[in-house]
Amino acid sequence: MRGGFVHLDVRSFFSLKEGAFSPEALARRAAELRMPAVALADRDGLYGTARFVDACEREGVHPILGASLTVREAGTLPLPRTGRKPVDASVLLLARDAAGYANLCRLITDAHMTGERGDPSLTPEQICAHTEGLVALLGPSSPPGSLALAGRIDAGRRAAMPYREAFGERAFVAVQHRLEQDSDREIRALLRLSERAELRAIATNPVRYLVPEDAYLADALECMRELVPINRSNVSRRNAEGWLKPATEMRALFHERPDLVTATLQIAESCAFDIGLRTVRFPDFPTPRGRNASSVLAERSWRGLERRGMRPTARVKDRLHHELAMIHRLGFSAYFLTVADIVADVRAMGIRCACRGSAAGSLVCYLTGISDVDAIRHDLAFERFINPMRDELP
């Protein structure tokens, strides 16, 4: 990766009304520009991960997985960018390994559970409680960065301290060169924050479209997000620089600080792990000591006969033995138990729940409460349900 640059602040159309391109288009464009790697860091979610990884594998580009998480501190509001509309504060996190990806998933879940529906958010304390395997980029829209741009360097340094203590050398100040009138001032403020907080700085570009000609798409998305007419007065961007720039252009922008560009390559090399896209994984299910998931599923199913008021006829017993044996052989027992518990919890909350499709052909589904359709009474075939699942196994 010597002599190059890796984009780390990139949002696709999975960042609702922010990014103007698909994960596949991102991978394809990165390959056209001969980029060795590129990150996808959508807002408060990992929705495009599977498509992104799959596309990068086809294009020969190393995928870096991350997310831009909305941060709100108790009793405070997002700070306005100087000369721009107020923006939500955010911290960009990148996964270095499987542990980091797991922590990123945990934080995203916490954000959606903590914030109002459709408005996920985290506190700095929540983020700093799960840092293993993660890289943190504190950009202009982060709480420390926003304070620095507002001229409050000391306050920005104090806001950056929890991240420095929690992430150590894996925390960076992300510097952007937007080629705007006040860009030089912003860069100086962020570099000063980097020095005062004793954090390394890194060069980034907020990629929201792939080529300059698509900037108008970002305008339309922004106006849709704000529910305002599409016109210049309602658009926050000042130019069309938020695109996937080639390494040569990024290095030219930061020619006085090539170390900021080199840092992107170092981060890219450290973010290397396989999410197992081609591997089928089933959830683990906690079982009593000395018991496995298959025995627990069998016990629940046999007890379900009495709960459902079914007579244990020879036909019923043969069918149940057959289903349990096949489920055990294919390794689906924990999966059935997990779904059964989820359905029970959903119904306990008063939420209507119904089984759809071929899953209703399973007697085990009926006896464990997943389905309310009696497969014996309606003479439904179990094989039609289990075969599609079996076909997905590697």
Side-chain angles (χ1 to χ4, degrees):
M1 294 188 183
R2 291 184 60 187
F5 172 84
V6 175
H7 282 282
L8 301 175
D9 184 2
V10 184
R11 297 183 194 172
S12 73
F13 60 30
F14 280 100
S15 290
L16 190 60
K17 300 186 181 77
E18 289 190 44
F21 52 87
S22 68
E24 293 85 354
L26 170 60
R28 187 163 53 250
R29 183 58 179 161
E32 291 172 355
L33 295 174
R34 299 183 181 277
M35 294 180 174
V38 68
L40 180 62
D42 281 316
R43 168 75 77 165
D44 297 316
L46 291 162
Y47 314 109
T49 295
R51 290 173 56 171
F52 177 59
V53 171
D54 184 60
C56 284
E57 289 179 357
R58 292 197 305 270
E59 300 292 346
V61 176
H62 173 59
I64 301 171
L65 305 179
S68 180
L69 302 184
T70 302
V71 181
R72 292 195 179 96
E73 300 188 55
T76 65
L77 295 174
L79 291 170
R81 294 285 309 280
T82 302
R84 296 189 181 90
K85 298 177 182 178
V87 296
D88 283 336
S90 63
V91 172
L92 197 156
L93 300 180
L94 302 172
R96 289 162 50 101
D97 50 31
Y101 187 74
N103 275 327
L104 188 56
C105 292
R106 175 192 292 269
L107 287 169
I108 291 171
T109 300
D110 289 346
H112 285 268
M113 294 292 289
T114 301
E116 297 292 331
R117 183 175 181 179
D119 190 22
S121 64
L122 292 168
T123 65
E125 291 76 17
Q126 286 176 295
I127 292 177
C128 292
H130 303 286
T131 64
E132 181 184 359
L134 290 172
V135 174
L137 304 187
L138 307 176
S141 296
S142 70
S146 295
L147 288 166
L149 295 186
R152 301 169 60 187
I153 298 297
D154 287 338
R157 180 188 63 80
R158 289 192 296 272
M161 286 302 96
Y163 298 98
R164 192 187 75 176
E165 294 172 2
F167 288 88
E169 295 182 351
R170 293 175 286 112
F172 295 81
V173 173
V175 180
Q176 299 175 358
H177 197 320
R178 299 172 179 267
L179 292 175
E180 297 175 357
Q181 184 175 359
D182 55 354
S183 286
D184 289 341
R185 181 195 63 80
E186 291 189 0
I187 291 173
R188 288 194 299 271
L190 291 171
L191 289 177
R192 189 179 175 194
L193 172 65
S194 169
E195 295 172 359
R196 295 290 299 274
E198 299 181 350
L199 296 173
R200 290 178 61 190
I202 188 171
T204 61
N205 193 51
V207 177
R208 305 297 179 261
Y209 36 94
L210 297 179
V211 293
E213 294 76 16
D214 285 345
Y216 76 95
L217 292 175
D219 296 345
L221 291 171
E222 180 180 10
C223 292
M224 289 170 60
R225 186 170 66 248
E226 301 294 333
L227 298 177
V228 295
I230 301 176
N231 56 51
R232 174 52 55 188
S233 63
N234 291 326
V235 173
S236 61
R237 72 174 178 89
R238 300 175 182 174
N239 54 36
E241 298 298 328
W243 59 291
L244 197 73
K245 297 182 179 181
T248 52
E249 292 205 24
M250 292 302 301
R251 285 193 167 271
L253 285 176
F254 292 94
H255 67 277
E256 295 181 356
R257 289 293 303 271
D259 57 303
L260 273 61
V261 176
T262 302
T264 68
L265 307 178
Q266 296 169 347
I267 288 179
E269 290 174 352
S270 71
C271 295
F273 72 101
D274 182 7
I275 65 169
L277 192 61
R278 308 284 182 240
T279 303
V280 177
R281 288 187 172 88
F282 293 103
D284 292 329
F285 189 86
T287 59
R289 188 179 184 87
R291 302 279 302 279
N292 59 28
S294 293
S295 69
V296 173
L297 180 64
E299 180 183 358
R300 287 193 184 185
S301 299
W302 288 108
R303 286 208 312 260
L305 289 174
E306 180 178 355
R307 184 173 63 84
R308 290 293 191 181
M310 295 184 67
R311 293 176 55 243
T313 63
R315 181 188 178 196
V316 169
K317 290 192 290 186
D318 287 346
R319 171 65 174 265
L320 187 50
H321 279 303
H322 170 68
E323 288 196 18
L324 289 171
M326 183 173 290
I327 292 170
H328 169 72
R329 180 166 58 84
L330 295 176
F332 292 160
S333 297
Y335 175 66
F336 273 75
L337 289 169
T338 301
V339 174
D341 277 8
I342 291 173
V343 171
D345 289 343
V346 167
R347 286 178 173 164
M349 290 186 284
I351 301 173
R352 294 183 178 182
C353 180
C355 182
R356 297 180 60 188
S358 58
S362 167
L363 178 60
V364 170
C365 283
Y366 179 60
L367 296 177
T368 56
I370 296 173
S371 167
D372 283 326
V373 179
D374 186 343
I376 298 295
R377 178 184 176 186
H378 297 284
D379 196 25
L380 301 177
F382 176 63
E383 294 292 339
R384 294 175 186 170
F385 165 54
I386 205 70
N387 280 340
M389 298 178 65
R390 179 171 52 192
D391 292 341
E392 293 178 1
L393 290 175

Coordinates of all heavy atoms in Angstrom, one line a residue, residues 124-162:
P124 N -20.5 9.1 25.2 CA -19.1 8.8 25.1 C -18.7 7.6 26.0 O -17.9 6.8 25.7 CB -18.3 10.0 25.5 CG -19.3 11.1 25.1 CD -20.7 10.6 25.4
E125 N -19.4 7.6 27.2 CA -19.1 6.5 28.2 C -19.5 5.2 27.6 O -18.8 4.2 27.8 CB -19.9 6.8 29.5 CG -19.4 8.0 30.3 CD -19.8 9.3 29.7 OE1 -20.7 9.3 28.8 OE2 -19.2 10.3 30.0
Q126 N -20.6 5.1 26.9 CA -21.0 3.8 26.3 C -20.0 3.4 25.2 O -19.7 2.2 25.2 CB -22.4 4.0 25.6 CG -23.6 4.1 26.6 CD -24.9 4.3 25.9 OE1 -25.1 5.4 25.3 NE2 -25.8 3.3 26.0
I127 N -19.6 4.3 24.4 CA -18.6 3.9 23.4 C -17.3 3.4 24.0 O -16.7 2.4 23.6 CB -18.3 5.1 22.4 CG1 -19.6 5.4 21.6 CG2 -17.1 4.8 21.5 CD1 -19.4 6.6 20.7
C128 N -16.8 4.2 25.0 CA -15.6 3.8 25.6 C -15.6 2.6 26.5 O -14.5 2.1 26.9 CB -15.1 5.0 26.4 SG -14.6 6.5 25.4
A129 N -16.8 2.0 26.7 CA -16.9 0.8 27.5 C -16.7 -0.4 26.6 O -16.5 -1.5 27.1 CB -18.3 0.7 28.1
H130 N -16.6 -0.3 25.3 CA -16.5 -1.4 24.4 C -15.5 -1.0 23.2 O -15.9 -0.7 22.1 CB -17.8 -1.8 23.8 CG -18.9 -2.2 24.8 ND1 -18.8 -3.3 25.5 CD2 -19.9 -1.5 25.2 CE1 -19.9 -3.3 26.3 NE2 -20.5 -2.2 26.2
T131 N -14.2 -1.1 23.5 CA -13.2 -0.5 22.6 C -12.3 -1.6 22.0 O -11.6 -1.3 21.1 CB -12.3 0.5 23.3 OG1 -11.6 -0.2 24.3 CG2 -13.2 1.6 23.9
E132 N -12.4 -2.8 22.5 CA -11.5 -3.9 22.1 C -11.6 -4.1 20.6 O -12.7 -4.3 20.1 CB -11.7 -5.2 22.8 CG -10.7 -6.3 22.4 CD -11.0 -7.6 23.0 OE1 -12.0 -7.7 23.8 OE2 -10.3 -8.6 22.7
G133 N -10.5 -4.1 19.8 CA -10.6 -4.4 18.4 C -11.1 -3.2 17.6 O -11.4 -3.4 16.4
L134 N -11.3 -2.0 18.1 CA -11.8 -0.9 17.4 C -10.8 0.2 17.2 O -10.0 0.5 18.1 CB -13.1 -0.4 18.0 CG -14.3 -1.3 18.0 CD1 -15.4 -0.7 18.9 CD2 -14.8 -1.5 16.6
V135 N -11.0 1.0 16.1 CA -10.2 2.2 15.9 C -11.2 3.3 15.9 O -12.3 3.2 15.3 CB -9.5 2.2 14.6 CG1 -8.9 3.5 14.3 CG2 -8.4 1.1 14.5
A136 N -10.9 4.4 16.6 CA -11.8 5.6 16.7 C -11.2 6.8 16.0 O -10.1 7.1 16.2 CB -12.0 6.0 18.2
L137 N -12.0 7.4 15.1 CA -11.7 8.6 14.4 C -12.5 9.7 14.9 O -13.8 9.7 14.7 CB -11.8 8.4 12.9 CG -11.1 7.2 12.2 CD1 -11.3 7.3 10.7 CD2 -9.6 7.2 12.6
L138 N -11.9 10.7 15.4 CA -12.6 11.9 16.0 C -12.5 13.0 14.9 O -11.5 13.7 14.9 CB -12.0 12.3 17.3 CG -11.9 11.2 18.4 CD1 -11.2 11.7 19.6 CD2 -13.3 10.7 18.7
G139 N -13.5 13.2 14.1 CA -13.4 14.1 13.0 C -14.0 15.5 13.4 O -14.4 15.7 14.5
P140 N -14.3 16.3 12.4 CA -14.8 17.6 12.6 C -16.2 17.6 13.3 O -16.6 18.5 14.0 CB -14.9 18.3 11.2 CG -13.9 17.5 10.4 CD -13.9 16.1 11.0
S141 N -17.0 16.5 13.0 CA -18.3 16.4 13.6 C -18.3 15.7 14.9 O -19.4 15.5 15.5 CB -19.2 15.7 12.6 OG -19.4 16.4 11.4
S142 N -17.2 15.2 15.4 CA -17.2 14.6 16.7 C -17.2 15.7 17.8 O -17.0 16.8 17.6 CB -15.9 13.8 16.9 OG -14.8 14.7 17.0
P143 N -17.6 15.3 19.0 CA -17.7 16.3 20.1 C -16.3 17.0 20.3 O -16.3 18.3 20.3 CB -18.1 15.5 21.3 CG -18.9 14.4 20.8 CD -18.2 14.0 19.5
P144 N -15.2 16.3 20.3 CA -13.9 17.1 20.5 C -13.7 17.9 19.3 O -13.2 19.1 19.4 CB -12.9 16.0 20.6 CG -13.6 14.8 21.1 CD -15.0 14.9 20.5
G145 N -13.9 17.4 18.0 CA -13.7 18.2 16.8 C -14.5 19.4 16.7 O -14.0 20.5 16.3
S146 N -15.8 19.3 17.1 CA -16.7 20.4 17.0 C -16.3 21.5 18.0 O -16.3 22.7 17.6 CB -18.1 20.0 17.3 OG -18.6 19.1 16.3
L147 N -15.8 21.1 19.2 CA -15.4 22.1 20.1 C -14.1 22.8 19.6 O -14.0 24.0 19.8 CB -15.1 21.4 21.5 CG -16.3 21.0 22.2 CD1 -15.9 20.0 23.4 CD2 -17.1 22.2 22.8
A148 N -13.2 22.1 19.0 CA -12.0 22.7 18.5 C -12.3 23.7 17.4 O -11.7 24.8 17.3 CB -11.1 21.6 18.0
L149 N -13.2 23.3 16.5 CA -13.6 24.2 15.4 C -14.3 25.5 15.9 O -14.3 26.5 15.3 CB -14.5 23.5 14.4 CG -13.9 22.3 13.6 CD1 -14.8 21.8 12.6 CD2 -12.5 22.7 13.0
A150 N -14.9 25.4 17.1 CA -15.6 26.5 17.7 C -14.6 27.4 18.5 O -14.9 28.4 19.1 CB -16.7 26.1 18.6
G151 N -13.3 27.0 18.4 CA -12.2 27.8 19.1 C -12.0 27.4 20.5 O -11.2 28.0 21.3
R152 N -12.6 26.3 21.0 CA -12.5 25.9 22.4 C -11.6 24.6 22.4 O -12.0 23.5 22.7 CB -13.9 25.5 22.9 CG -14.9 26.7 22.8 CD -16.3 26.3 23.1 NE -16.5 25.7 24.5 CZ -17.6 25.2 24.9 NH1 -18.6 25.1 24.1 NH2 -17.6 24.7 26.1
I153 N -10.3 24.9 22.2 CA -9.4 23.8 22.1 C -9.3 23.1 23.4 O -9.2 21.8 23.5 CB -8.0 24.3 21.7 CG1 -8.1 25.0 20.3 CG2 -7.0 23.2 21.7 CD1 -8.4 24.0 19.2
D154 N -9.2 23.8 24.6 CA -9.1 23.1 25.9 C -10.3 22.2 26.1 O -10.2 21.1 26.7 CB -8.9 24.1 27.0 CG -7.6 24.8 27.0 OD1 -6.6 24.1 26.4 OD2 -7.4 25.9 27.5
A155 N -11.5 22.7 25.8 CA -12.7 21.9 26.0 C -12.7 20.7 25.1 O -13.1 19.6 25.4 CB -14.0 22.7 25.7
G156 N -12.2 20.9 23.8 CA -12.0 19.8 22.9 C -11.1 18.7 23.4 O -11.3 17.5 23.3
R157 N -10.0 19.2 24.0 CA -9.0 18.3 24.6 C -9.6 17.5 25.7 O -9.4 16.2 25.8 CB -7.8 19.0 25.1 CG -6.7 18.1 25.8 CD -5.6 19.0 26.4 NE -6.2 19.8 27.5 CZ -6.4 19.3 28.8 NH1 -6.2 18.0 29.0 NH2 -6.9 20.1 29.7
R158 N -10.4 18.1 26.6 CA -11.0 17.4 27.7 C -12.1 16.4 27.1 O -12.2 15.3 27.7 CB -11.7 18.4 28.6 CG -10.8 19.2 29.5 CD -11.5 20.0 30.6 NE -12.5 20.9 30.0 CZ -12.1 22.2 29.7 NH1 -10.9 22.6 29.9 NH2 -13.1 23.0 29.3
A159 N -12.8 16.8 26.1 CA -13.7 15.8 25.5 C -13.1 14.6 24.8 O -13.6 13.6 24.7 CB -14.6 16.6 24.5
A160 N -11.8 14.8 24.4 CA -11.1 13.8 23.7 C -10.4 12.8 24.7 O -10.0 11.7 24.4 CB -10.0 14.3 22.8
M161 N -10.3 13.2 26.0 CA -9.5 12.4 27.0 C -10.1 11.0 27.2 O -9.4 10.0 27.2 CB -9.4 13.2 28.3 CG -8.4 14.3 28.3 SD -6.7 13.8 27.9 CE -6.7 14.1 26.1
P162 N -11.5 10.9 27.3 CA -12.0 9.5 27.5 C -11.7 8.6 26.3 O -11.4 7.4 26.6 CB -13.5 9.8 27.6 CG -13.7 11.2 28.0 CD -12.5 11.9 27.4

